[in-house]
Amino acid sequence: MTEFINNFEESNRLRGLAHHAIPGGAHTYAKGDDQYPVLSPGFIAKGFGSHVWDVDGNEYIEYGMGNRAVGLGHAYARVLEAATRQLQLGCNFTRPADIEVECAETFLETIPGAEMVKFCKDGSDATSGAVRLARAVTGRDIIARCGDHPFFSTDDWFIGDTEMNAGIPDAVQKLTVNFQYDNLESVRVLFNRFPGKIAALILEPSRGDDPKNNFLHEVRDLCHRNGALFILDEMITGFRWHNGGAQQLYDIKPDFSCFGKALGNGFSISALAGKREYMKLGGLEQTGSPRVFLLSTTHGAETHALAASIATMRIYQDEPVIEHLYHQGEALRAGIDQVVARHGLDEYFQVTGRSCCLTYATLDQNRTQSQAFRTLFLQETIKRGVLMPSLVVSYTHSDEDVARTVEAVDGALGVYKQALENGVGKYLVGRPSQVVFRRFNRQSAAERTLELADNA
């Protein structure tokens, strides 16, 4: 792929305005300027299928797809048509809309392990609703979360257990503890350390590899033997691993599961699903126990988002969406692996994850994870018309997209190899990107210089 010159004039103008008006310059930390190179599009103007155009008119093949929220492709016609028809009837009323029932029934048909569902707007609402309900059911306070999984919620119960815990009371921070994925002993240790105090365990079914040694089932059984509940966060796996979620693929029924992201193909909708015996505690008919304020959001059942979700779920039921995600992901992995081998970079650049949800690792001369080399790689692929914070494909990623992406990666890795030999600072324009969860915003100038020198 021929390298082209990106013009970021309008993006750069908007950056200053954005940071003046919006803390962080964006409403999602993962979309912030600190996650991308200096030479990158700051703002996207439109998207169609697997391509996006920034405010300066530059076109990119996109991977990441709205932080995995767009599974079918941007502006997917059948979804847009359903949402538009519903919007013409209004989107929010004083009483429930009939489409709420239709969407709930469609969801329960799609996710066979779920018995009741409540919709909300984002993943944090869903997981925090599950946590609150688990605490109400068990009468316990402590939540155990998988420390190998990067994000569960913007709420205190999770953020208090991260580096960005400023503003979270110490008492709240102590109510969340960690275990490791595929490490059953780490779960046993927690139950022994906090007997009768753990309300629930929450984890993603998988980050890529399948669970080993019946891990999910063993953890669920261990939870139940100790009086705790078992929560699966299916925000990512839900509409990628299998139409019915990873829980169907792995044949496991959780007490609660949380869905979102691709549930509405980019429209704002998420779901807390679970067993009827627990979910009904947030209803109007239970007696003999206190009511649980489960989820109650003004915009949680906006009708156009529900219409988009129904259309999305039916497309997944009717068409080979999941099969396409796996197929294109496998082709992408194979093509990039060949390029990596040709450059002799097997120990420095690695494609990881499940084929339907790939990512990559960028390693420095010491074979350790490097933000500087990640930033360089992003810089060079952006130059070649590909925006790839991850390698997450959609239903609209074509064979041509994959071929052009492999070509762009080939060119980028040529620069990457030179940077390994001569120092990343000679090729990277500006500062490296940073991880989201960090206690302080900026490294000092001396620290940044040292990082670049270490990679020289």
Side-chain angles (χ1 to χ4, degrees):
M1 177 180 291
T2 302
E3 180 180 330
F4 65 90
I5 298 174
N6 292 280
N7 168 27
F8 299 127
E9 182 178 350
E10 181 64 9
S11 273
N12 290 335
R13 185 187 73 83
L14 288 173
R15 287 183 214 269
L17 297 174
H19 284 279
H20 180 73
I22 305 165
H27 296 286
T28 307
Y29 279 117
K31 298 181 182 181
D33 282 336
D34 61 339
Q35 302 300 295
Y36 289 88
V38 170
L39 297 181
S40 66
F43 300 86
I44 302 300
K46 64 179 181 179
F48 185 77
S50 59
H51 290 231
V52 296
W53 289 258
D54 69 16
V55 291
D56 291 287
N58 302 308
E59 179 181 354
Y60 305 93
I61 303 169
E62 195 222 340
Y63 297 89
M65 306 307 293
N67 295 342
R68 300 178 177 84
V70 182
L72 298 175
H74 299 295
Y76 200 82
R78 189 168 154 191
V79 177
L80 285 186
E81 290 165 2
T84 301
R85 283 196 304 271
Q86 192 63 48
L87 269 176
Q88 292 171 344
L89 304 175
C91 66
N92 207 331
F93 311 112
T94 302
R95 295 300 312 275
D98 55 351
I99 196 171
E100 296 181 37
V101 178
E102 181 184 359
C103 193
E105 290 179 336
T106 304
F107 179 90
L108 296 176
E109 292 170 3
T110 304
I111 311 298
E115 296 174 359
M116 297 187 81
V117 62
K118 195 151 190 179
F119 296 115
C120 41
K121 278 300 180 191
D122 58 43
S124 296
D125 288 344
T127 56
S128 293
V131 164
R132 182 184 302 118
L133 190 51
R135 284 170 166 164
V137 169
T138 63
R140 301 173 178 182
D141 295 333
I142 293 177
I143 299 298
R145 64 103 168 176
C146 184
D148 300 317
H149 298 163
F151 188 77
F152 288 102
S153 176
T154 62
D155 292 319
D156 288 4
W157 70 268
F158 171 71
I159 296 298
D161 193 44
T162 73
E163 287 293 311
M164 289 181 69
N165 59 10
I168 313 296
D170 288 342
V172 174
Q173 294 180 34
K174 294 175 181 176
L175 295 179
T176 301
V177 295
N178 280 263
F179 63 94
Q180 287 76 53
Y181 190 80
D182 266 341
N183 185 342
L184 190 62
E185 184 58 30
S186 70
V187 180
R188 291 195 183 98
V189 166
L190 288 183
F191 280 119
N192 290 334
R193 183 181 174 190
F194 302 102
K197 296 182 179 180
I198 296 177
L201 270 72
I202 184 169
L203 71 161
E204 296 180 56
S206 167
R207 289 294 295 181
D209 295 335
D210 292 332
K212 299 180 178 64
N213 301 317
N214 219 28
F215 176 70
L216 295 179
H217 297 77
E218 292 289 343
V219 169
R220 181 195 59 186
D221 294 346
L222 193 56
C223 284
H224 291 171
R225 287 198 298 272
N226 285 275
L229 298 182
F230 179 70
I231 305 170
L232 287 181
D233 179 344
E234 291 237 41
M235 294 297 157
I236 293 173
T237 59
F239 287 86
R240 285 194 173 271
W241 266 235
H242 190 283
N243 282 351
Q247 57 191 266
Q248 186 168 352
L249 179 65
Y250 298 137
D251 191 25
I252 185 167
K253 185 175 182 178
D255 297 306
F256 306 123
S257 53
C258 305
F259 291 79
K261 300 277 189 191
L263 175 60
N265 196 51
F267 281 86
S268 180
I269 183 168
S270 58
L272 167 59
K275 294 180 178 178
R276 184 177 305 278
E277 62 182 298
Y278 304 132
M279 293 288 288
K280 70 180 183 181
L281 298 180
L284 303 179
E285 299 175 354
Q286 89 289 356
T287 58
S289 60
R291 296 181 66 200
V292 178
F293 196 89
L294 184 51
L295 285 168
S296 183
T297 56
T298 298
H299 303 290
E302 285 179 315
T303 57
H304 65 289
L306 297 181
S309 182
I310 292 169
T312 298
M313 287 186 283
R314 288 178 177 164
I315 291 167
Y316 275 79
Q317 292 169 358
D318 298 341
E319 301 183 28
V321 179
I322 299 294
E323 292 85 347
H324 183 85
L325 300 184
Y326 276 99
H327 181 271
Q328 297 304 81
E330 288 166 4
L332 195 59
R333 189 204 301 267
I336 294 176
D337 282 349
Q338 288 179 4
V339 169
V340 170
R342 187 164 65 249
H343 285 283
L345 294 176
D346 303 76
E347 297 182 342
Y348 303 98
F349 186 92
Q350 299 162 357
V351 177
T352 62
R354 200 174 187 87
S355 296
C356 60
C357 193
L358 294 172
T359 186
Y360 55 85
T362 53
L363 310 179
D364 61 18
Q365 295 92 334
N366 299 317
R367 298 173 181 80
T368 58
Q369 292 273 7
S370 169
Q371 286 297 121
F373 274 91
R374 173 179 171 81
T375 313
L376 176 65
F377 179 74
L378 281 168
Q379 172 186 288
E380 295 303 313
T381 49
I382 286 169
K383 282 183 182 179
R384 293 161 175 81
V386 182
L387 184 60
M388 49 185 298
S390 63
L391 287 167
V392 176
V393 297
S394 74
Y395 192 39
T396 46
H397 276 86
S398 67
D399 292 344
E400 180 184 356
D401 289 331
V402 171
R404 290 178 59 196
T405 301
V406 171
E407 185 180 349
V409 170
D410 190 4
L413 289 182
V415 179
Y416 196 106
K417 185 173 183 178
Q418 294 178 57
L420 287 169
E421 296 168 354
N422 303 318
V424 68
K426 294 183 179 180
Y427 301 91
L428 176 61
V429 177
R431 82 298 180 268
S433 63
Q434 298 188 58
V435 296
V436 169
F437 287 110
R438 59 187 190 275
R439 190 157 185 80
F440 298 100
N441 258 340
R442 292 184 181 274
Q443 298 168 302
S444 68
E447 288 172 328
R448 291 197 298 275
T449 300
L450 179 60
E451 178 178 353
L452 292 177
D454 285 343
N455 288 311

